Amino acid sequence: MKIAITNATIFDGTGGKPFVGTVLIDGNRIVSVSKGKSDTRVTADNCIDGSGKFLMPGMTEGHAHLSFDSVTATEDLITPPPEEHTLLTARVAKTLLDHGFTSAYGASEAKLRLGVAVRNEVDAGRLAGPRIRAGSLEITVTGGLGDESRLHNQRNAPSMIIDGPEEMRKAVRLSCREGCDNIKLDVSGDPFYPATPADCTTMSLEEIQMAVRTAHSFGKKVNVHARSIQSIQHSLIAGVDMIYHAEYSDEKTLDMLEEAKDRVFVAPSISLFHTMLNEGEAHGMPRVVAESMGIPALIEESVKTHTALRKRGIRHVIGGDYGFTWNMQGTNARDIQHFIDYYGYTAADALVCATRNGGLAMRGQGDLGTLQQGMLADMLLVDGDPLKDAAVLTDKARLVMIMKDGVIHSIAPSLQHKN
């Protein structure tokens, strides 16, 4: 089936300036992008008049926790039975697609196969959702982020706890066997865990290296939770694919990240801290609690590090640890404005982080994330200009057409017309 979107203002995601033109889709690929107004109807099965609308690539959620929804504590991730939790995960997947996220790069999930099961159903066409790279459970070490137990109180957690390279090898192999696309490692501490603060490094270099070697041998990618300087450096030495958070840095760390900029992606995940500090009060997260956890200082470190990384050409992706009560799924496009406000991105470059960079993280083939001939047909038609007001992308009603893989997921009634 051929679909033409005519006379739209096209932001193609390559970094070039927007232009008025027409995009022609045949099957699941873009077959042409032409500049200039079209005065005659393009030959297509479905011709959509995009006059006055903004056409852009679909967005990628780069830090997806599809099984997190309205979370306030770790207990919220443990207690749901797998049947109910699978349904929740499916609902979140649809929520992301409904809000313009045609891809979801899985960070980790609360149970090992939640992302896998929903990905499989989406790929089979039985569920509505974005393209999904399914995240594993988090893999951590004794005493690290995600280890909820004490000697007197053994507790389950949404993680696998390993110690040493051989246990890491088995945990990664298990995750690959069960169908995960991305393996998640908790390499540093976190402000949610007082005994392991954000600036400490809990996982050894040898453990990370084993995870990367094993995952890559299966053709899988490795994500790391890495806030501390040493955790970032060790992750880069080991050859990980995605670094989350990365607040603390020094000149050596920045140099190492720049040296690896053509193979690694970085997701600052600023939204969680922003909402904890500024919007958490109404959701059981008083500002004084966020302050006691050191969130303002971590935001300062994030601003310093990621502003420097922007200037060095690091491939940032958006993704703000959504799924908490104060940072709800469906509000993910707020990251674009956060990139502008906190890190000094222009609106256009922030959109590139949300589209082209996300597409490259999803698929190394380079056929996703831009509107160019031969690319996969994932795109949004927006009633408004995100380059002037990024907030329009957070308004579901302004997304007048959402297309994934050449199939229209949703379209405003006023645009529905077939030749």
Side-chain angles (χ1 to χ4, degrees):
M1 180 177 180
K2 289 186 178 181
I3 301 174
I5 303 168
T6 64
N7 300 322
T9 298
I10 299 172
F11 174 86
D12 64 13
T14 65
K17 292 183 177 181
F19 55 90
V20 173
T22 294
V23 173
L24 182 63
I25 301 104
D26 189 358
N28 71 339
R29 296 275 175 174
I30 297 170
V31 294
S32 68
V33 180
S34 57
K35 293 185 177 181
K37 273 193 170 287
S38 174
D39 296 323
T40 59
R41 182 155 293 171
V42 177
T43 302
D45 302 295
N46 188 356
C47 193
I48 299 168
D49 183 8
S51 298
K53 305 294 191 298
F54 187 94
L55 187 66
M56 59 177 279
M59 295 181 286
T60 295
E61 166 54 58
H63 191 157
H65 293 298
L66 299 177
S67 55
F68 292 24
D69 194 32
S70 301
V71 174
T72 59
T74 307
E75 201 67 23
D76 298 335
L77 301 173
I78 299 169
T79 53
E83 296 84 358
E84 282 86 344
H85 216 150
T86 304
L87 294 173
L88 179 154
T89 305
R91 290 195 300 271
V92 170
K94 183 176 184 299
T95 294
L96 289 183
L97 183 57
D98 287 343
H99 287 82
F101 285 85
T102 53
S103 292
Y105 181 98
S108 66
E109 301 302 344
K111 296 178 177 66
L112 182 59
R113 297 196 72 257
L114 289 174
V116 172
V118 172
R119 177 204 66 200
N120 291 347
E121 289 296 295
V122 170
D123 287 352
R126 293 186 288 265
L127 285 176
R131 300 176 187 274
I132 296 171
R133 286 192 62 91
S136 69
L137 273 169
E138 295 185 1
I139 302 176
T140 189
V141 297
T142 299
L145 166 65
D147 180 4
E148 301 280 336
S149 290
R150 297 295 182 269
L151 285 175
H152 67 284
N153 183 18
Q154 297 296 310
R155 292 186 56 194
N156 292 325
S159 60
M160 290 188 282
I161 300 171
I162 65 94
D163 289 293
E166 287 308 312
E167 290 187 8
M168 175 66 83
R169 191 202 306 263
K170 185 171 184 178
V172 174
R173 282 176 172 172
L174 175 64
S175 301
C176 294
R177 183 192 75 186
E178 295 303 309
C180 298
D181 299 305
N182 298 338
I183 309 301
K184 172 76 176 294
L185 311 180
D186 290 334
V187 181
S188 79
D190 193 81
F192 287 94
Y193 287 72
T196 52
D199 60 354
C200 77
T201 304
T202 52
M203 188 173 284
S204 72
L205 172 59
E206 293 77 17
E207 289 165 335
I208 308 167
Q209 288 173 320
M210 176 62 80
V212 172
R213 285 200 302 271
T214 306
H216 285 180
S217 73
F218 279 86
K220 311 300 184 181
K221 294 187 177 184
V222 177
N223 311 325
V224 291
H225 168 106
R227 299 191 188 275
S228 68
I229 288 175
Q230 188 179 58
S231 69
I232 299 166
Q233 292 183 0
H234 282 182
S235 296
L236 290 167
I237 292 168
V240 306
D241 303 285
M242 176 73 76
I243 298 177
Y244 292 131
H245 311 302
E247 286 92 10
Y248 291 101
S249 66
D250 56 15
E251 202 65 23
K252 178 181 177 182
T253 307
L254 295 175
D255 288 344
M256 290 176 68
L257 282 160
E258 184 175 6
E259 186 177 336
K261 68 181 181 180
D262 292 330
R263 67 168 179 80
V264 74
F265 295 88
V266 180
S269 308
I270 188 65
S271 183
L272 179 61
F273 286 169
H274 173 89
T275 54
M276 285 174 67
L277 196 63
N278 299 293
E279 302 169 24
E281 196 85 40
H283 304 284
M285 173 60 70
R287 186 181 178 94
V288 65
V289 173
E291 290 174 344
S292 71
M293 294 168 68
I295 300 304
L298 275 169
I299 289 176
E300 288 182 14
E301 293 296 327
S302 181
V303 169
K304 180 177 67 176
T305 294
H306 293 290
T307 300
L309 291 180
R310 171 183 61 78
K311 294 176 180 178
R312 290 172 179 243
I314 298 302
R315 296 183 298 183
H316 279 132
V317 297
I318 66 169
D321 244 340
Y322 290 88
F324 292 85
T325 302
W326 49 84
N327 202 41
M328 291 290 287
Q329 302 280 9
T331 67
N332 311 58
R334 297 174 65 177
D335 265 29
I336 295 165
Q337 189 64 50
H338 292 329
F339 272 36
I340 296 167
D341 294 341
Y342 284 103
Y343 306 136
Y345 272 99
T346 65
D349 288 341
L351 277 188
V352 168
C353 294
T355 56
R356 183 186 66 187
N357 289 359
L360 287 169
M362 287 291 297
R363 292 172 61 89
Q365 298 96 314
D367 61 354
L368 182 66
T370 61
L371 302 183
Q372 296 172 284
Q373 184 178 357
M375 302 294 283
L376 289 164
D378 290 11
M379 61 191 75
L380 312 175
L381 192 61
V382 184
D383 181 13
D385 187 348
L387 298 180
K388 295 179 180 176
D389 179 11
V392 300
L393 292 175
T394 67
D395 184 352
K396 181 180 173 183
R398 306 289 287 273
L399 306 179
V400 294
M401 187 207 70
I402 298 171
M403 176 184 287
K404 176 198 147 195
D405 208 38
V407 175
I408 295 174
H409 168 67
S410 62
I411 188 167
S414 60
L415 295 177
Q416 291 180 349
H417 175 77
K418 291 189 176 182
N419 283 353

